[in-house]
Amino acid sequence: MKTSGSVTVAFSLVFLIMFSFILSFFEMASYTARLSYHAAAARLATENYFASYLEPMYSKYHIFGRDVPQEEDVLVWTEESISEDVDYMTKKKEGEKSLLIRGGADYKVTEASVLTDRELEGYYTQAVTAMKYQGVVEVADLIKEFAGMTEQSEAHLDVAAAKAAADSAYGRVDEKLLYLMALVDGVDIKKYEKFLGGKTGSFQKGIYVKYFCTHPDTAAAYFDRTEVYQAFLKNHENPYETLGDLCTRLETLINEILAREKQETICRSQLAEARGRLSVLSGQKDTLSGALELIEAELREVKSELMKQKLMSGKEETVKRLEQRIQELDAEVAALKEQKEQVGQNGEVLEKFAKELEAAEKQLKKQEKEQEKAVKALKKEEAEFVKKCRALSDVCGEAYEYTAEIQKELKAAQRAKATCESLVDASELILGSDVCGEYREDLKEYLFYESEDGYDFELIRQTLSENRTRLFSVKERIGEAFGNTLSYALADLKQEREMIKEYSFRGLKLDYGEMSLEEDLYSDVGDSVSGALAEGFLGFLTDKNISEKKLDTSYLPSGFRFKDAKFDFLSIPGGDMSSALAALKGYLPKELSFDGVLSQVAEQTLFHSYLVSHFDHFIEENSIGALSYEQEYLITGEDSDKENLSSVAARICGIRTVLHFISIYTDGAKKAPIEQAALAACGIIGLPALKCLIVLLLVFVWALEEAMVDTAALLLGKKLSLYPGRSGGSISLPEILLFSKAFVLEKARSKAETGMIGYQAYLQVFLIAKTLETKKYRSLDLIQENIRNWYASSFRVNRCVWEIEYQTDKRKYEYRYE
C-alpha cells in the first residue's frame, strides 16, 4: 500500500509539472504572438503613413517623401498620424474571443528624418538609387585596378583636411566677429575698407552702440583703427550733448513762456485800465457837450433879448446887464470848449495807447502759438531721440544674442583645432617632425582666442545686457509733463540724460587688426569689372529671348550659401579647402575594396547622371520650372536665369579665348600680318619698342572675338572642336574692326560644326568641377521651388519625411525608402 501511494504522488507531481510547462508554453506563445502582431501592425501603419507620399516629386524626380503641414512639428505630427492606425489595429474589439489577447501597442516615433537631414542623405541616397535601377551607368568594373596613394599621402590629406577645417571654423568666427563689430561700433569695416580703395561706404550713422555716449574728443583712445575713428569722428552725434541741448532749449523756452505770461498779465491790466478811463472820458465829454448846448442856447436867448432892447431903446441899465451876461456866457462857452477839447485829446491818447496794448496782446498771442510749436518740436525731437534709443536697445539685444552664437562657433573651432593637433601628433612618425612642426606653428595663431588678450565674451554680454536695459528704460515720451507743467518735462529730460550717462563700454574693445578683409576689399572691384563686361554680353551671343525668371531665395534648402563669386574659375586659392581635401581623400583606396573608392566614385557618377537627366539647360529649357536654365543654376548659383546664363557663357568664352589665343599666336600665317600692323602702328606713334605689346593686344582682341563667335554658335546648339587649330577661326584680321552684335550672330549661324563638343559638354565639365555638397543643395533648391510652383506654395523639403525610426513594445525598428 505504501508503494502504491508513493507512485500516485509521484505521477501527480509529474502531471502538474507537465501541465505547468504546457501552460507556460501557451503563455509564451501568446506573448510572442502579441509582440509579432504589434510589430506587424506598426509596420503596416507606417507603410500606410507613407502611402500619402508626394506624388509630383516622385513622378518627376524619383524622390520619395511625405510632406508635413507647415504649422506642425514634424516628429509629433508623424507619431500622432501613425499612432492612430496602430491603436486601431492593436486595440481588442468588443466581443472578440481568442487565445491571442490583443492589447494596445506601446508605439513611439524616436526620429523622423527629412530630406535635408544629415547633409541631405535622404535626397542623395534616393537620387543615386534611382539611377542604379535605371541602369544609366555601370562604373564598378572600370576602376577596379585603381592604384591608391601611399600611407604618407593619406596621412597628409587627413592632417591637411583637419587644418583646413580648423581654418574654416576660425574663419567663420572672424566673419561673425566682423558682424559683431558692425553692431557694437556701428562701423561697417568691410564697407569702410572699400572706401579706402576709392569706393563709397563709410560709418553707418545712427546705429552705433559701443561709443553711443563717448565724446569724439575722447573716443580715439578706444578705437582700434585710425580710419574707423576718423569715420566715427566725422559722423558722431553725442546723445549726452543732444539731451543737454534739449534741456537748455527747454529751460530757455520755459523762461520765455514765463516772461510772456507776465507781459500778458501786465498788458491785460493796462488795457482794462485804459478802456475804463476811455469810458470815463467819454462820459465827461458827453456831459460837457450837454452843458455846452444849454449855455449856447441861453447865450442865443440873451443875445436875442439884447437886440430887442436895443431896437426898442430899452433901458441902458438893462442893456448893460444883458451885455455883461453875454460876456459871462461867452467865457463859459470858451471854457467848456477848451475843457471838451482837452477831454478829446486825452481820449485820443488813451485810445492810441489802448490800440498799442491790443497790438501787444496780439503779438503775445502769436508768441504763445510759436512757443506751443516750439514745445511740440522739442517733444518731437525728444521722441525721435527715444526712438533711436529703442532702436539701439534692439541692436544691443541682437549683439547680445549674436555673442552667444560666436561663443558656440568658437567652441566648435577650438574642437577642430584640437582634432588637428591630435592628428598632427599621431602622424608625426609618418610625416616627419618638420612637416608637423609647420602645422603646429600655423595653429599657434589661434591661441589668441584662448589667451588673456582675447575676447572676454561674458563681460561683453554683461555690458550689452546692462546697456540694453539703460537704453530701454529711457521714456518713450515726455508724457503728461507737457500737459501739466514744462518743469516736469525738463526734469524728465535731465533724468534721461543721467540715465544715458551710465552707458558703459566695458569689454567691448574689439580688435580689427587681425581680420582678413582682402576678399571684401576686392570682391566689389571684381563685381564691378564683371558687371561691366556682362552688361549686354548675352545680347552679342544670342537673339533668343532670355528668360527673366528669378528664384525666390527666402526658403531655399541651401539658404543661398553656395552662390559663386564672379569668375570663380580664376580664384582657386583660398576659401574653405577642407571639403575639397576630404573629398580627395575619399578617392584613396581602402585596401582596394569596393566599399572604399569604387562606392564613392560610383555614387558620385550616378548622382551626376541624375542631375544631367533631371534638369534642363538653355538649349532645352524648362519653361514651366522656377528657373528655365536649371543646369546653369547648378553651376553658378545666381538667383536669376539671366545671371546664370551670362556667367556660364562668360566661362565658355574665357576658355575659348585662351585656346584661340594659342592657336593664332602659334600660326605664322595669321601672326605675320599682325606683326606688320603692329610695326606700322609703332612707326606712326614713334615707339618701336611697343611692337610686342601691340602684337599681344591685337592677338587677344582677335581671340576674344573668335571666342564670342564660338560661344554664340554653341548657344545655337552647334558642336565644335575643343582646339580650334588653323582652320577653326571664322574672322579675318581686317574683320576684327567690324565687331558688332549682327556680325557675331551672322558668323555664328554660318559656322560649320567641326567637332563633337557642344554646349552641353561644357556644362558637364563645369558641373563635374563643383563640389558634391554644392550640387546637392542647388539641385534640391530647384526641386523644392518647382514643386512649390506645381503642387503647393507652402511646400518645403525640410518638412518632407523619408525615413522614421520607431519602437513598439520597446523594440526598435526603422523604415526608409531607397
Side-chain angles (χ1 to χ4, degrees):
M1 293 296 292
K2 287 183 179 181
T3 302
S4 178
S6 299
V7 171
T8 302
V9 171
F11 275 110
S12 299
L13 289 174
V14 171
F15 176 76
L16 289 174
I17 292 171
M18 293 181 64
F19 186 72
S20 299
F21 176 77
I22 294 171
L23 289 179
S24 299
F25 175 78
F26 276 108
E27 180 64 24
M28 182 64 70
S30 176
Y31 176 74
T32 304
R34 183 165 61 250
L35 293 183
S36 299
Y37 183 81
H38 289 175
R43 178 75 177 186
L44 184 60
T46 303
E47 291 176 349
N48 184 52
Y49 168 79
F50 279 108
S52 299
Y53 64 93
L54 193 60
E55 195 278 334
M57 186 168 65
Y58 185 77
S59 60
K60 173 65 177 176
Y61 296 106
H62 306 98
I63 303 300
F64 178 86
R66 170 72 185 269
D67 58 324
V68 177
Q70 192 69 24
E71 66 278 0
E72 301 289 346
D73 180 88
V74 174
L75 187 63
V76 174
W77 192 81
T78 300
E79 181 173 332
E80 290 177 351
S81 300
I82 301 176
S83 294
E84 291 179 4
D85 285 348
V86 175
D87 288 343
Y88 177 78
M89 286 186 283
T90 60
K91 186 177 180 181
K92 185 176 180 181
K93 306 300 185 292
E94 184 178 355
E96 184 178 30
K97 296 180 179 180
S98 173
L99 289 176
L100 178 60
I101 303 175
R102 296 194 296 182
D106 180 16
Y107 180 83
K108 181 176 181 61
V109 176
T110 57
E111 183 178 353
S113 300
V114 296
L115 291 174
T116 54
D117 285 343
R118 300 193 296 273
E119 298 182 355
L120 280 62
E121 178 190 353
Y123 164 60
Y124 181 69
T125 302
Q126 292 189 53
V128 170
T129 303
M131 299 310 293
K132 282 182 181 177
Y133 289 145
Q134 290 182 27
V136 175
V137 179
E138 295 293 340
V139 296
D141 294 335
L142 300 179
I143 53 176
K144 284 183 179 179
E145 302 300 326
F146 182 76
M149 295 184 178
T150 64
E151 183 182 7
Q152 185 178 16
S153 299
E154 183 176 353
H156 220 314
L157 282 173
D158 277 334
V159 176
K163 174 61 167 57
D167 292 339
S168 177
Y170 279 102
R172 289 191 295 272
V173 172
D174 284 348
E175 183 180 350
K176 288 183 178 296
L177 275 170
L178 279 174
Y179 182 71
L180 179 65
M181 291 173 192
L183 286 175
V184 301
D185 291 332
V187 180
D188 191 333
I189 303 302
K190 297 181 181 179
K191 290 187 177 180
Y192 199 73
E193 285 289 341
K194 296 169 190 175
F195 174 75
L196 295 178
K199 292 187 169 295
T200 58
S202 61
F203 178 81
Q204 291 187 351
K205 192 174 182 180
I207 65 165
Y208 51 91
V209 178
K210 176 177 174 184
Y211 302 107
F212 183 62
C213 293
T214 305
H215 195 278
D217 294 339
T218 59
Y222 305 107
F223 281 93
D224 303 287
R225 294 176 70 151
T226 305
E227 62 269 19
V228 180
Y229 167 63
Q230 292 297 331
F232 171 81
L233 185 64
K234 181 179 178 181
N235 296 277
H236 181 73
E237 291 179 355
N238 187 275
Y240 188 71
E241 292 179 354
T242 301
L243 281 179
D245 177 60
L246 283 175
C247 290
T248 302
R249 287 162 58 192
L250 182 56
E251 195 166 7
T252 302
L253 185 59
I254 290 173
N255 293 334
E256 289 176 356
I257 289 174
L258 292 175
R260 176 187 55 76
E261 290 176 347
K262 184 177 180 180
Q263 289 178 5
E264 281 184 344
T265 302
I266 296 172
C267 182
R268 291 191 186 99
S269 176
Q270 289 179 346
L271 184 59
E273 183 181 352
R275 286 172 177 166
R277 290 179 61 190
L278 275 173
S279 179
V280 172
L281 288 175
S282 177
Q284 289 179 356
K285 191 174 181 180
D286 292 341
T287 302
L288 290 172
S289 296
L292 185 59
E293 288 179 1
L294 291 175
I295 292 174
E296 286 177 343
E298 184 181 354
L299 180 59
R300 286 192 297 273
E301 289 178 0
V302 172
K303 285 182 178 180
S304 177
E305 182 64 28
L306 179 61
M307 288 288 294
K308 183 178 179 183
Q309 289 294 331
K310 284 183 178 182
L311 290 173
M312 295 177 61
S313 299
K315 294 180 181 181
E316 184 177 355
E317 200 174 298
T318 303
V319 171
K320 286 181 179 181
R321 182 173 54 79
L322 291 172
E323 288 176 348
Q324 184 178 357
R325 182 59 181 163
I326 288 173
Q327 290 178 355
E328 292 174 353
L329 290 173
D330 285 338
E332 287 183 16
V333 168
L336 286 172
K337 284 183 177 181
E338 183 179 358
Q339 190 175 357
K340 183 179 178 182
E341 184 178 357
Q342 184 62 41
V343 170
Q345 290 176 355
N346 291 339
E348 290 176 359
V349 171
L350 277 174
E351 191 171 352
K352 184 178 179 181
F353 181 61
K355 287 181 179 180
E356 291 176 354
L357 289 174
E358 288 175 353
E361 186 178 29
K362 288 182 180 179
Q363 187 64 30
L364 288 171
K365 289 290 184 184
K366 184 178 180 182
Q367 187 178 352
E368 183 181 8
K369 290 182 180 180
E370 291 175 353
Q371 288 172 345
E372 288 176 353
K373 289 182 181 179
V375 170
K376 290 180 180 179
L378 285 175
K379 182 178 179 181
K380 186 176 180 181
E381 286 184 38
E382 199 267 354
E384 287 295 325
F385 177 80
V386 171
K387 189 176 179 181
K388 289 182 180 179
C389 288
R390 287 300 176 88
L392 290 170
S393 176
D394 293 340
V395 173
C396 280
E398 183 182 354
Y400 179 86
E401 298 296 334
Y402 201 74
T403 305
E405 292 185 24
I406 295 178
Q407 288 179 290
K408 292 179 182 178
E409 201 74 59
L410 183 57
K411 289 180 180 178
Q414 290 170 345
R415 288 195 297 270
K417 181 168 76 72
T419 300
C420 183
E421 290 172 339
S422 299
L423 278 174
V424 170
D425 294 340
S427 306
E428 189 161 6
L429 292 176
I430 301 173
L431 299 178
S433 58
D434 292 340
V435 174
C436 291
E438 292 177 1
Y439 277 115
R440 292 190 184 98
E441 195 65 30
D442 290 341
L443 290 173
K444 284 183 180 179
E445 63 178 295
Y446 300 126
L447 294 176
F448 165 79
Y449 296 98
E450 303 169 18
S451 66
E452 294 181 358
D453 297 330
Y455 302 117
D456 188 344
F457 288 108
E458 291 304 323
L459 182 58
I460 290 175
R461 285 168 63 82
Q462 180 183 349
T463 301
L464 288 170
S465 177
E466 292 173 355
N467 289 343
R468 182 187 185 190
T469 302
R470 291 186 185 101
L471 291 169
F472 191 79
S473 298
V474 177
K475 298 182 183 300
E476 289 187 359
R477 53 188 172 84
I478 295 178
E480 297 180 357
F482 277 102
N484 298 324
T485 170
L486 293 178
S487 60
Y488 291 160
L490 181 60
D492 281 347
L493 282 178
K494 289 181 178 179
Q495 184 179 0
E496 290 175 6
R497 191 184 188 201
E498 291 303 313
M499 194 178 302
I500 290 294
K501 190 177 181 180
E502 297 300 320
Y503 188 93
S504 172
F505 46 84
R506 292 178 298 111
L508 296 181
K509 183 175 175 62
L510 300 172
D511 180 17
Y512 302 90
E514 299 301 323
M515 292 298 159
S516 174
L517 301 173
E518 293 182 3
E519 180 181 351
D520 300 299
L521 179 60
Y522 297 111
S523 62
D524 268 12
V525 177
D527 288 347
S528 62
V529 173
S530 63
L533 292 174
E535 185 177 357
F537 181 64
L538 287 176
F540 283 98
L541 305 179
T542 180
D543 53 3
K544 181 179 176 181
N545 291 331
I546 305 299
S547 168
E548 297 293 335
K549 292 179 181 178
K550 195 167 184 178
L551 205 60
D552 181 5
T553 61
S554 304
Y555 306 101
L556 295 182
S558 67
F560 216 52
R561 292 177 289 126
F562 299 95
K563 181 179 179 182
D564 284 2
K566 295 291 190 296
F567 303 112
D568 62 346
F569 62 93
L570 296 177
S571 58
I572 297 174
D576 182 5
M577 296 296 293
S578 60
S579 59
L581 292 169
L584 181 59
K585 180 182 177 299
Y587 287 98
L588 292 175
K590 304 298 180 184
E591 300 178 355
L592 295 179
S593 67
F594 182 79
D595 291 335
V597 177
L598 297 182
S599 61
Q600 290 188 27
V601 174
E603 285 182 357
Q604 293 196 29
T605 305
L606 290 170
F607 185 68
H608 179 81
S609 300
Y610 175 85
L611 298 179
V612 173
S613 61
H614 285 79
F615 296 99
D616 298 314
H617 49 77
F618 174 73
I619 296 178
E620 300 173 357
E621 63 181 82
N622 183 357
S623 59
I624 61 173
L627 289 178
S628 292
Y629 316 143
E630 296 176 320
Q631 289 188 31
E632 286 82 350
Y633 173 75
L634 298 179
I635 294 167
T636 65
E638 299 292 340
D639 61 353
S640 69
D641 276 332
K642 187 174 183 180
E643 289 179 307
N644 289 320
L645 180 60
S646 178
S647 181
V648 169
R651 298 176 194 206
I652 296 175
C653 189
I655 294 172
R656 300 298 296 183
T657 299
V658 173
L659 296 174
H660 274 290
F661 186 91
I662 296 172
S663 174
I664 296 170
Y665 196 79
T666 56
D667 187 345
K670 290 183 178 180
K671 190 177 179 183
I674 294 177
E675 291 179 337
Q676 293 175 2
L679 187 61
C682 290
I684 294 173
I685 62 178
L687 293 173
L690 293 180
K691 176 189 171 184
C692 273
L693 183 60
I694 295 176
V695 168
L696 291 174
L697 181 61
L698 289 175
V699 172
F700 174 76
V701 172
W702 193 350
L704 178 60
E705 293 187 17
E706 289 280 14
M708 293 185 71
V709 171
D710 285 358
T711 306
L714 290 169
L715 292 176
L716 289 172
K718 295 186 176 183
K719 296 182 178 181
L720 307 175
S721 300
L722 177 61
Y723 183 68
R726 294 186 177 184
S727 59
S730 304
I731 304 174
S732 63
L733 178 60
E735 287 180 324
I736 65 174
L737 301 176
L738 303 176
F739 180 78
S740 67
K741 175 181 179 179
F743 176 79
V744 172
L745 293 178
E746 181 184 354
K747 289 289 184 181
R749 293 189 188 98
S750 60
K751 193 174 184 70
E753 295 194 28
T754 57
M756 299 298 294
I757 299 179
Y759 178 71
Q760 296 93 323
Y762 282 96
L763 292 181
Q764 295 275 338
V765 173
F766 295 150
L767 193 57
I768 290 173
K770 307 308 294 183
T771 64
L772 178 61
E773 183 184 25
T774 301
K775 289 186 285 191
K776 287 195 297 184
Y777 274 100
R778 285 183 183 168
S779 57
L780 200 56
D781 287 346
L782 293 174
I783 291 176
Q784 173 180 282
E785 294 307 302
N786 286 340
I787 296 300
R788 287 180 63 190
N789 287 347
W790 304 333
Y791 173 64
S793 60
S794 62
F795 172 72
R796 302 284 185 273
V797 292
N798 62 357
R799 302 187 62 78
C800 199
V801 180
W802 74 285
E803 175 191 36
I804 67 168
E805 293 180 3
Y806 63 92
Q807 63 181 27
T808 179
D809 298 326
K810 299 182 180 180
R811 291 185 177 183
K812 294 183 178 180
Y813 300 91
E814 179 183 294
Y815 185 93
R816 65 187 299 181
Y817 178 86
E818 293 185 5

